[in-house]
Amino acid sequence: MRVKNFKSQFQNSRSSRAMTFESESVGNGNPEEETHQAEGKTVAANGKADISAKQEANGKYDRPRKRFTWQEIHRHNQKEDQWLVIDRKVYNVTDWANRHPGGHRLLNHYAGQDATDVFRAMHDHLDIVQLYQKPLLIGELDPGEPSQEKNKNAQLVEDFQALRKSLEAMKMFDINPRFFFLHFCQIIILETLAWLTVHHLGTSWPVTIFISIILAISQAQSGFLQHDLGHISISKKLKWKRLMQRLVMSNFKGLSVDWWNHRHFQHHVKTNIYPKDPDTDVGPLFLLGKTHPVKYGKKKIKYINYEKQHLYFYMVALPFMMPVYFNMSSIYFMYLHWCWVDIAWVASFYIRNLITFGPFYGIFGTMLLIFLVKILESPWIAYVTQMSHIPMEMNEEKNEDWVSTQVIATCNVEQSFFNDWFTGHLNFQIEHHLFPTMPRHNYHKVAPLVKSLCVKHGLQYVNKPLLKAFGDIARALKKSGALWVDAYYKT
């Protein structure tokens, strides 16, 4: 479809152990998955009554519709009092938050705000989810109120919603199973090649280094594949998706699925917004953006010399993000929330490697091999995951529209066959953040339309060469460090 044709169509603590894990964190990995599993059960609305979701959906239960202004809605933005708006309908999610399969923090992040676009972006099975919305419905926006808050670009929101409808009509959310099957085969081939190599050639240093590189490639590509699975962009069958994500993330990589989803979905709904996006809170080792370093500087906080933090990125973040930070975070999360299923799956990763390589390297040698592989993988993942966000704008909550928030916080990297493979198509971060459930093999098709939308509304659509994107990480950290120095020594 041409762009000109499109324009006419567009549009926490340990005490939490008493709760089930699904109530406290991300649950089954996608906000509607647990809802799907619970379909047909009774849902409690605000603790006052039990209402059959299906009766509600069939119109057998009619709640009086109240009308609210944005001023009223904005006041309900606390953990113990959470309202949000979806398609002009007002929902009280206070009591539902702790049972939300996507985690209570996702709802809290949008309390007192319009959540229409983020709701649509993060949920794929709307027919199921809507069964559980109805008991939470308390009213609607007053007819005199705009559909979005006054500080949001209403025309941009309207055009984006039209764009999404157009992309759905173009079947851009349809999955190509062969694409992901070949990706999965790539991982199996790499794992098999590593075992055959050590089986036939022994455990000399050259062989060990060679298989470590092969396994590091497998680990990185497994990470990209589980990322797709987490966003339901491979299979619309939720139970199948869930099983496959556990297999790839936990059995192939040795990391907790629930930890990843809990963290990653917060990153998506409030990208580069401190402190709601956990990826922005990396202190005390790094200070990101413009405002956070200044605050640290004015308060005379100096855990390390932040003027040199761009050098720490090379010395610490690149080699140790995967083997230390990710692994320790995953283990701590499983321990804190008693994630027994995740613990069993992660244990299967180590058992599998001990069975595969233990006869050649022994137990200690196999554990060293795993650590070496993760060190080799770490710079790859660190560069790919940070190049699109650290150099971009970081703010505290401004409650801007969904499109503006995502575009100013992300950037793309130029397309090529190598770049697509090397980044797991995360070189199309703008498209991915606007449409998280879209299969990545379609990003390049929708990119011109997204760019046209950005141009129309004066949003900067950033697209860089790969090596420049890598370098911009350190340059951004150096700038943030300089802001800290100015605030620390001159105030």
Side-chain angles (χ1 to χ4, degrees), residues 58 134 154 179 359 373:
N58 293 330
K134 288 183 177 291
F179 174 89
V373 168

Side-chain angles (χ1 to χ4, degrees), residues 167-263:
L167 297 178
E168 289 171 352
M170 295 165 62
K171 300 186 182 302
M172 289 295 102
F173 291 86
D174 288 1
I175 298 166
N176 180 354
R178 182 167 56 181
F179 174 89
F180 292 107
F181 175 74
L182 291 175
H183 192 99
F184 183 79
C185 288
Q186 169 195 212
I187 296 168
I188 299 300
I189 290 170
L190 290 169
E191 294 280 336
T192 304
L193 177 61
W195 181 83
L196 289 174
T197 300
V198 72
H199 177 73
H200 290 288
L201 300 180
T203 58
S204 64
W205 273 109
V207 170
T208 300
I209 292 172
F210 175 74
I211 68 166
S212 296
I213 293 172
I214 295 298
L215 291 173
I217 296 172
S218 173
Q219 287 286 291
Q221 294 299 323
S222 295
F224 300 142
L225 185 62
Q226 78 80 25
H227 176 255
D228 297 322
L229 286 161
H231 285 294
I232 323 183
S233 59
I234 291 182
S235 173
K236 302 302 181 184
K237 296 180 180 179
L238 296 174
K239 290 183 179 180
W240 173 250
K241 184 261 356 170
R242 181 66 171 169
L243 176 62
M244 287 300 297
Q245 190 183 15
R246 288 201 184 279
L247 174 67
V248 177
M249 183 61 157
S250 300
N251 182 264
F252 286 10
K253 291 187 62 61
L255 295 173
S256 164
V257 166
D258 293 321
W259 160 77
W260 170 261
N261 289 340
H262 172 76
R263 179 188 183 95

Side-chain angles (χ1 to χ4, degrees), residues 124 316 436 475:
D124 192 65
V316 178
R475 284 187 281 269

Side-chain angles (χ1 to χ4, degrees), residues 3 33 38 55 62 69 83 99 229 245 277 329 337 346 348 375 378 411 419 451 476 478 487:
V3 171
E33 181 168 338
Q55 285 180 336
D62 295 320
T69 64
W83 291 9
R99 290 175 287 139
L229 286 161
Q245 190 183 15
D277 179 357
S329 298
H337 297 285
V346 170
S348 73
I375 284 181
S378 190
C411 69
N419 286 357
K451 184 176 181 179
K478 187 174 183 179

